Amino acid sequence: MRAAVELAAAGEEPLTAEVVATRQNIPLQFLHKIFHEMSRARLVSSQRGPDGGHRLARPAREISVADVIRALEGPLAVVRGEAPESLSYVGTAEPLQDVWIALRTNIRAVLEGVTLADLAAGHLPRRVATLAREPESWLTR
């Protein structure tokens, strides 16, 4: 995510992996793998040569945090490696499927509502900023 935000902050200027790795304190080999996955997801493009580097493949305002997570980690909410809608429970555990689906909906509401442009500008959408400021949000239980 930090690498994606770094690219967003650079705008159209390509950044080398070395520059991003140094700025964000990310191991270079790990960053190469990240950029490869983001390229496969068509979030990052790269250019070789002396003026080369990596840049976002589309405007930062069009790439959500959810897009980056999906590219690197897969679906936003899975249970035992399966999508919640493909699960079924019996008896008293039956309502669990609805819990997992509701959880995914809330995760999407936050992560799809924040773009790389928001992060690069240091301004979160009001709804997300408000949630983050709630004292309950900071409890680790």
Side-chain angles (χ1 to χ4, degrees):
M1 193 60 63
R2 291 178 288 139
V5 174
E6 194 69 42
L7 294 180
E12 290 295 314
E13 175 190 350
L15 297 178
T16 65
E18 291 79 7
V19 166
V20 174
T22 299
R23 287 182 183 174
Q24 291 298 322
N25 195 28
I26 300 170
L28 185 58
Q29 292 304 319
F30 182 59
L31 183 59
H32 283 302
K33 292 176 184 176
I34 290 169
F35 280 156
H36 175 74
E37 291 302 316
M38 291 178 69
S39 291
R40 287 183 55 205
R42 295 186 175 100
L43 297 177
V44 169
S45 63
S46 58
Q47 175 182 330
R48 295 186 185 271
D51 295 327
H54 303 275
R55 65 170 56 99
L56 295 178
R58 56 186 199 261
R61 70 182 179 281
E62 295 177 12
I63 302 174
S64 72
V65 170
D67 293 330
V68 177
I69 291 173
R70 285 183 187 112
L72 299 175
E73 304 290 334
L76 295 178
V78 293
V79 179
R80 296 183 328 240
E82 295 185 45
E85 65 275 4
S86 67
L87 300 171
S88 63
Y89 300 95
V90 296
T92 56
E94 191 172 345
L96 275 174
Q97 182 183 43
D98 289 341
V99 170
W100 306 142
I101 290 173
L103 175 65
R104 181 179 59 192
T105 299
N106 281 292
I107 290 171
R108 281 180 178 165
V110 171
L111 299 180
E112 289 177 352
V114 180
T115 69
L116 294 181
D118 295 328
L119 294 172
H123 299 291
L124 294 177
R126 179 173 290 150
R127 186 171 158 276
V128 174
T130 299
L131 281 171
R133 283 192 300 269
E134 290 181 10
E136 287 285 316
S137 297
W138 291 85
L139 297 179
T140 59
R141 55 179 163 88

